Amino acid sequence: GAVVSQHPSRVICKSGTSVKIECRSLDFQATTMFWYRQFPKKSLMLMATSNEGSKATYEQGVEKDKFLINHASLTLSTLTVTSAHPEDSSFYICSARVSTGLPYEQYFGPGTRLTVT
Amino acid sequence: AQSVTQPDIHITVSEGASLELRCNYSYGATPYLFWYVQSPGQGLQLLLKYFSGDTLVQGIKGFEAEFKRSQSSFNLRKPSVHWSDAAEYFCAVGASYQKVTFGTGTKLQVIP
């Protein structure tokens, strides 16, 4: 149980285009999902917290107009990188918190490798 | 603010040897503590967690960790390492608003 999927697993796009990454909780409902960014050989940096049916809460320094997050249902959150540039190339990981679970207990997706050329 | 320190960036152990990965945290209240493992190009898998109760917690894959409040530590241990344990290990502390703060990770290399 508690499986989180991400799609796509890997994407290459041209500079200036937009890319959408999906995060799905497959066998549980997630009122809260989180989006992280991981730089090479670095830890995970929380970008935003996404709550179903409401606006995402972005961490300081994260451009909300560039990283659009939508949490339309209890099993799906999407991250859209708008007008992507090479510096947006990174490994993006989502996680989901079980609605009835203990605080802080999150399950992570396998990640999406974004390369902007 | 909460923080997590993993002092060892890289550790190399021989297969079959014991392992201890260090983790120190800073948090003003009772912490929720986690250890995650990440294989190259993959997401994070939860190894174990501490919320309350017994300070020695058992996890998957033969790992255990001990919460020591007096030392603000939550070290991860395994008595006998397998080659498949080579990966990156992250310690994390549960912070406010459900957010989790991660350490910088320890890369484990296992030599035959």
Side-chain angles (χ1 to χ4, degrees):
Chain A
V3 177
V4 176
S5 70
Q6 278 184 246
H7 179 79
S9 58
R10 186 179 296 268
V11 57
I12 301 173
C13 70
K14 291 186 177 181
S15 186
T17 62
S18 295
V19 175
K20 179 184 286 188
I21 302 170
E22 293 186 346
C23 176
R24 293 182 184 272
S25 56
L26 298 185
D27 50 3
F28 65 99
Q29 293 185 330
T31 53
T32 304
M33 289 184 172
F34 303 88
W35 286 96
Y36 295 85
R37 181 173 180 178
Q38 186 177 32
F39 295 94
K41 300 183 180 180
K42 295 288 186 182
S43 187
L44 281 76
M45 181 192 78
L46 179 64
M47 299 175 65
T49 302
S50 167
N51 291 295
E52 186 265 337
S54 63
K55 290 184 178 181
T57 302
Y58 290 82
E59 295 300 299
Q60 190 173 9
V62 178
E63 299 176 60
K64 62 181 181 180
D65 294 330
K66 180 168 188 61
F67 298 100
L68 300 179
I69 292 172
N70 182 270
H71 194 159
S73 76
L74 287 172
T75 59
L76 173 65
S77 176
T78 59
L79 168 67
T80 301
V81 183
T82 62
S83 186
H85 290 283
E87 57 266 30
D88 299 324
S89 298
S90 192
F91 194 56
Y92 293 88
I93 303 177
C94 74
S95 70
R97 187 178 79 82
V98 179
S99 298
T100 56
L102 291 167
Y104 313 115
E105 190 159 354
Q106 300 178 32
Y107 296 90
F108 286 81
T112 296
R113 172 73 59 192
L114 170 63
T115 303
V116 185
T117 61
Chain B
Q2 62 285 336
S3 66
V4 178
T5 301
Q6 293 181 248
D8 303 306
I9 297 173
H10 189 264
I11 282 184
T12 301
V13 298
S14 298
E15 190 169 15
S18 63
L19 171 70
E20 182 169 29
L21 302 182
R22 296 183 291 167
C23 172
N24 292 96
Y25 68 90
S26 173
Y27 189 56
T30 301
Y32 296 100
L33 296 161
F34 309 84
W35 273 101
Y36 290 89
V37 60
Q38 183 181 33
S39 297
Q42 300 295 315
L44 275 69
Q45 181 181 24
L46 179 66
L47 286 176
L48 48 78
K49 59 183 182 283
Y50 170 78
F51 288 159
S52 64
D54 194 345
T55 56
L56 182 63
V57 293
Q58 302 296 321
I60 62 172
K61 304 184 179 185
F63 286 93
E64 67 177 26
E66 186 171 12
F67 169 58
K68 293 185 177 180
R69 184 186 298 275
S70 61
Q71 300 177 19
S72 298
S73 68
F74 189 56
N75 295 347
L76 181 71
R77 300 195 294 251
K78 186 169 184 178
S80 178
V81 170
H82 188 262
W83 64 266
S84 60
D85 293 324
E88 187 105 29
Y89 291 81
F90 291 95
C91 181
V93 61
S96 60
Y97 303 104
Q98 307 176 36
K99 292 187 290 188
V100 174
T101 299
F102 288 86
T104 50
T106 297
K107 186 172 184 178
L108 174 64
Q109 181 181 7
V110 180
I111 56 176

